[in-house]
Amino acid sequence: MKRILVLLILAMVGCASKQDIAFRDAEILSLRAELEKAKSEIKKQSDTIRDISNADETFKKLMATEKKLADEVIKNESLSRSIKSISGMESQLEHVYGELNRLTQENNSLKNALALYDNPLSLYAAEKWQFIKRIQGSHLYAQDSSRTYLGVIDFTGSHSESIFNEVGMYGSDMGINSIWNDVGLFGSDVAINSPSNNMTVYPPLIVKDGKIIGHLTKNKYIVSPLIVNPDELKTYYEMLQKKR
C-alpha cells in the first residue's frame, strides 16, 4: 500500500513539473514576441529619428539657400538702382554732349563766316566777332505787360525762331510779333515797344542765359548795358550771309 502511495505521489509531481515547463515555455514564447515587437518599435523610432535628423538637415539647407537668395535679391536691387543711376547719368551726358555739339557747330559756323571777311585779322573784324558772339543765341522780349516773346538772335539763320528767318513768325515782315513788321506793335517806328522807335524808353530786352544783357533799340540815349541797333543787327547778318 505504501508503495502504491509513493508511486502515485511521484506521478503527480511529474505531471506538475510537465505543466510548469509547458507554462514557462509559453511565457518564454510570449516574451520573445514582446521582444520582437519592442525591437520593431525601436527600429521604427530609430527610423523616425533618422528622418527627423534628415529633415532638420534639409531645413537648415533650405534656410541657407533662402538667405543666399535674399542676399542675391538685395545685391540685384542695389545693382538695379546703380544701373538706373548710370542710365540717368548717361541720359544727362547725352544731353550735355548734344548741347555742346550744337554750340560747337554754331560757334564754328560763326567763325567760318567771319573768316571770310576780306581782312579777318583786322581790329574791326575782331571787335565785331566779339559783339556777334556776345549776342548770338540771345532772346528778345517786349517790355509790355505780357513780356511778349519776340524771337531769338541767330546769325546762322537755322533756328526756327530766328529773327532772321524770313518765313518764320519772328523773322517775317508780316509777323504779328516780328520786329520787322513796320505796321505792327513791335516793329512800327511809333510803337512804344518797338526797337524802331528812336524815342521809346521801353524797347525790347535782350536776354541771354536768363540775364538781361542789353536793349534792341534805335534810341541812343537809353540807359542800358548794351544798346543794339536793329538795322546794324540786320547788316551783320546780311554781311555774314554774303560771305558764306
Side-chain angles (χ1 to χ4, degrees):
M1 186 67 179
K2 290 182 179 180
R3 186 178 178 184
I4 293 172
L5 290 172
V6 170
L7 290 172
L8 287 173
I9 291 170
L10 290 173
M12 291 177 65
V13 170
C15 290
S17 298
K18 288 179 179 179
Q19 290 178 354
D20 186 51
I21 290 170
F23 176 77
R24 288 186 179 182
D25 286 342
E27 186 175 6
I28 288 170
L29 289 174
S30 176
L31 288 173
R32 283 179 178 174
E34 289 292 332
L35 179 61
E36 291 298 325
K37 185 177 180 180
K39 285 182 178 180
S40 178
E41 286 296 325
I42 289 171
K43 186 176 182 303
K44 288 182 180 179
Q45 293 293 333
S46 177
D47 292 340
T48 302
I49 291 171
R50 190 180 300 108
D51 291 340
I52 292 173
S53 177
N54 291 337
D56 184 58
E57 288 297 323
T58 302
F59 177 74
K60 288 180 179 179
K61 289 180 180 179
L62 288 174
M63 291 296 292
T65 302
E66 182 181 3
K67 184 177 183 303
K68 186 177 180 180
L69 288 173
D71 292 340
E72 287 297 325
V73 169
I74 293 173
K75 288 180 181 179
N76 288 335
E77 289 178 349
S78 177
L79 180 60
S80 177
R81 287 193 295 269
S82 298
I83 291 173
K84 289 181 179 178
S85 177
I86 291 172
S87 298
M89 292 175 65
E90 288 178 346
S91 178
Q92 292 178 358
L93 283 173
E94 287 179 1
H95 176 72
V96 170
Y97 284 137
E99 188 66 16
L100 180 61
N101 186 51
R102 185 187 69 79
L103 291 174
T104 300
Q105 291 178 350
E106 183 180 277
N107 193 48
N108 289 337
S109 178
L110 291 174
K111 282 184 177 180
N112 291 336
L114 282 172
L116 296 174
Y117 278 14
D118 293 334
N119 186 6
L121 298 179
S122 68
L123 180 60
Y124 173 82
E127 289 177 351
K128 295 311 174 186
W129 159 245
Q130 291 299 325
F131 170 77
I132 290 173
K133 186 177 179 181
R134 181 180 180 184
I135 63 174
Q136 166 66 20
S138 300
H139 296 269
L140 299 177
Y141 293 91
Q143 291 197 69
D144 56 0
S145 58
S146 302
R147 275 293 190 269
T148 302
Y149 179 61
L150 301 178
V152 60
I153 299 175
D154 173 43
F155 290 102
T156 66
S158 61
H159 199 294
S160 60
E161 298 177 355
S162 173
I163 61 173
F164 301 117
N165 185 346
E166 295 180 355
V167 296
M169 63 184 299
Y170 302 108
S172 168
D173 58 7
M174 298 179 65
I176 297 175
N177 295 335
S178 173
I179 62 171
W180 311 119
N181 186 343
D182 56 11
V183 294
L185 294 175
F186 308 106
S188 168
D189 58 5
V190 295
I192 191 172
N193 298 125
S194 170
S196 296
N197 185 343
N198 58 13
M199 298 294 291
T200 184
V201 293
Y202 301 106
L205 301 171
I206 302 174
V207 179
K208 188 171 186 179
D209 298 328
K211 298 179 180 179
I212 298 173
I213 63 171
H215 295 81
L216 184 66
T217 181
K218 291 183 179 181
N219 185 352
K220 301 178 182 179
Y221 306 104
I222 192 171
V223 178
S224 173
L226 177 67
I227 297 175
V228 180
N229 188 306
D231 293 337
E232 185 179 7
L233 205 60
K234 180 173 280 189
T235 298
Y236 292 150
Y237 172 72
E238 292 174 348
M239 185 184 298
L240 291 172
Q241 295 306 306
K242 288 179 182 180
K243 297 295 184 178
R244 284 182 181 276

